[in-house]
Amino acid sequence: MIDATRVSTREQLLHALYEAAELEHNLMCTYLYAAFSLRSGEDEGLTRDEAAAVARWRAAIVGVAIEEMGHLTAVWNITSALGGSPRFGRGNFPLDPGALPAGVVVKLAPFNAAVLQHFVYLERPDGSTEPDGDGFAPEFQFRRGSTKSRLTPIGMDYDTVGTFYATLGEQLGEFVAHHGEAAAFCGDPALQISATEVDLVGAKPVICAKTALAALTAIVQQGEGAPTSSLGSHFQKFIAIREEMRALERANPAFRPAFAAATNPVQRTPMRPAGRVWIENEDAAVTVDLANSGYMLMLRLIAYAYAVPRPSAEKSLAIDLALGTMRAVAYLGERAARLPAGPSNPSCNAGMSFAILRDSAPLPRGPSSRRYFSERLRELADGAARAANPDARMSSAARVLADLAQRGERGFAAANASAAAVAAPASVGANGSTLPGAPPAAAAPAASTSAAPSGGSRPPIPTVVDGVDEIAGAKLTLLYDGKKCIHARHCVTGAPTVFLANVKGPWINPDAIDVELLAEIAHVCPSGAIRYRRKDGRPDEAAPPVNLIAVREAGPYAVRADLRLDGTAVGFRATLCRCGASKNKPYCDGSHHDVKFAASGEPPTGAQTEMLAQRDGPLAIDPQLDGPLQIRGNLEITAGTGRMVARVTSAKLCRCGASATKPFCDGSHARIGFRST
Ligand code: FES
């Protein structure tokens, strides 16, 4: 039994949490490494049934790795709640003895029966008699820790990870009992990562003993230490794979589900060659270099997110870029496992080594970090573009990284502008609201150089600014953006004397009706193709009091909100593609008709219908490359008829058209190979 009084200071708790972070982080890397080595499809030597099974295993192992990421997030949040800086570093593979207890051996190895058994062993519940996998015996036996109480934090010893967390929970409880909750949880909760930024089970703010202990319990119940019978635990998932694998091996003794990737690959001549594989093959070396760099950048981005208080578009941007980078890393990690290691190791392939930064402390928040991230993303994108070859995985990685580089440049430039606007004196917006810095595009001041209309008999000739027609009337300038128009016809039917149907040449005459009526007509244009700027001192269009997305029957999403699309303010109305076929994504262009998109406008009302504390405010919609619309902000999702479907502050909405849980994304975009560009 561990002496629970030993970890009783904040320093000792932080030390234990750093070990917890390293543990989860290490496990995540080893699971991903094994998943990257799995073969894919009949093209890689599997029968159809084997390929289907291996694809399931890959999904399951990656799912476990993602849950480890959730555990890691929970550990980081507890660390932050206690006033510490979360730990993003860890030792390089293979871990030296002593970093963890002797019984917890961690190294990178390709998927096979022994590695799978090792995973079963690592995730075993207390009392399990499962043995470790062959080849995972510790180099030598030792005990960490001390029976003496010391000021210096000393790693505790434990047989199972579940025991470690149980002890940590006890010690945390004692610490809180001794200091009181307010003193114990003295960290700024705004620095933690929440479900608004990332869709992980561990992303729950920790603000008290109850939430901290719940986070530790969730880690144990989902993963290491869950009861043997706990359905869906990591232990159970690995056992299920083992059973299926044994059956397939009985049917086909030649079954080899994975490539023989290296055990503990390294990028340079190893100082201690034993148990390591030096990657000499240049193609593999370039691939691993990119993969490792992407992984390191991911860590820096997450660390940075912990330095930025929420709610913040920049915090969400850092997390989005981190997750996007991991997508590229997965392609590269899979590629590395398929390339020869080099002449010194003819019998095995290479593999990404998950080399770690020498220091992964968060970069200071501000323009210098934004510059660093923009530069680094571009360097990786350029590196992948240089390495681009007919290999599909490298091309996919290059595509993802190019998209991230663009998003990073745009997003961090917006963060700089936003910081500058906050620093500058606030200005009064055209709609009467006080705005920090520049007003949103829909409320921008008039810049038209058109002549004033003659009085309404003939539509004036528009001026085209950035592809938008600007038609000057006496009291307002009407803006028409044809690329956004979905031909809802509210304009030509609501104000037929202003919006002249079926005419050649100029067709909009703003002075043909009362200006207030015309403004109302603009407000009901669902796509935002029609907007206006008042010239008579009256307020411009205001943001809606409730942010709404209506799911149109067999058609697009109709958004009404102070909309920030990919970080840019684009007005208060938009119709966004949800069939996947638009040629003007993320906007709808009517292609749902052409592809005969069939989707209900009456999705069922879900569980998330509790009234939001706030119903308006900026709504960020970030279209993910080849994936869903990532939504952040206060939002009510409604059926086309206006019935409540869900109230959310973050969501992923399907835009490939294939989700079985529309309007929400269910991951089908990957299955159908959805391309958003
Ligand atoms: S975008 Fe359609 S399922 Fe994800």
Side-chain angles (χ1 to χ4, degrees), residues 627-629 653-659 664-669 674:
L629 298 172
L653 297 187
C654 173
R655 66 170 179 140
C656 73
S659 173
F664 301 103
C665 167
D666 70 351
S668 294
H669 54 269
F674 172 58

Side-chain angles (χ1 to χ4, degrees), residues 430-485:
N431 61 4
S433 61
T434 302
L435 303 172
S448 171
T449 54
S450 295
S454 61
S457 57
R458 287 171 58 86
I461 296 172
T463 301
V464 181
V465 179
D466 293 334
V468 176
D469 288 355
E470 299 196 350
I471 307 103
K475 294 185 175 175
L476 59 61
T477 297
L478 206 87
L479 312 179
Y480 175 69
D481 186 348
K483 293 191 303 303
K484 290 184 183 170
C485 182

Side-chain angles (χ1 to χ4, degrees), residues 243-270:
E243 298 315 308
E244 198 173 7
M245 182 171 164
R246 285 175 178 170
L248 287 170
E249 283 173 336
R250 279 194 297 275
N252 173 17
F255 174 46
R256 296 286 177 273
F259 290 97
T263 296
N264 297 323
V266 290
Q267 277 184 282
R268 62 178 185 184
T269 325

Side-chain angles (χ1 to χ4, degrees), residues 308-552:
V308 178
R310 71 182 155 81
S312 149
E314 187 176 21
K315 192 177 185 90
S316 298
L317 174 71
I319 293 293
D320 282 355
L321 293 174
L323 297 181
T325 305
M326 269 315 281
R327 230 179 117 197
V329 167
Y331 287 124
L332 296 163
E334 288 181 356
R335 181 162 201 266
R338 286 158 170 77
L339 294 170
S344 303
N345 294 279
S347 61
C348 78
N349 283 351
M352 100 171 255
S353 61
F354 287 93
I356 191 77
L357 293 156
R358 178 159 279 189
D359 183 75
S360 52
L363 300 178
R365 186 186 179 200
S368 59
S369 292
R370 295 172 194 136
R371 176 177 292 277
Y372 162 83
F373 286 125
S374 297
E375 283 174 3
R376 193 64 178 148
L377 283 162
R378 179 56 60 195
E379 285 161 10
L380 264 62
D382 289 350
R386 277 196 300 277
N389 53 39
D391 180 86
R393 289 184 174 86
M394 179 60 87
S395 303
S396 297
R399 189 161 171 275
V400 171
L401 289 168
D403 176 70
L404 294 173
Q406 273 185 7
R407 286 186 66 190
E409 269 156 30
R410 256 194 329 261
F412 286 118
N416 277 334
S418 165
V422 168
S427 61
V428 176
N431 61 4
S433 61
T434 302
L435 303 172
S448 171
T449 54
S450 295
S454 61
S457 57
R458 287 171 58 86
I461 296 172
T463 301
V464 181
V465 179
D466 293 334
V468 176
D469 288 355
E470 299 196 350
I471 307 103
K475 294 185 175 175
L476 59 61
T477 297
L478 206 87
L479 312 179
Y480 175 69
D481 186 348
K483 293 191 303 303
K484 290 184 183 170
C485 182
I486 62 163
H487 307 290
R489 303 181 67 248
H490 294 298
C491 55
V492 292
T493 55
T497 56
V498 176
F499 301 95
L500 309 177
N502 304 320
V503 297
K504 282 200 164 64
W507 63 287
I508 299 176
N509 190 350
D511 292 335
I513 61 171
D514 176 74
V515 66
E516 303 301 339
L517 195 53
L518 181 55
E520 288 308 312
I521 294 292
H523 295 167
V524 295
C525 168
S527 66
I530 296 175
R531 293 173 291 142
Y532 61 86
R533 289 194 301 263
R534 298 291 291 240
K535 299 164 73 177
D536 56 1
R538 301 275 298 153
D540 280 330
E541 181 178 358
V546 177
N547 292 339
L548 295 171
I549 286 186
V551 179
R552 293 285 183 90

Side-chain angles (χ1 to χ4, degrees), residues 577-596:
C577 173
R578 76 177 183 114
C579 71
S582 171
K583 290 176 273 304
N584 186 33
K585 296 184 189 75
Y587 294 103
C588 168
D589 71 349
S591 292
H592 49 272
H593 294 298
D594 305 338
V595 299
K596 300 187 172 35

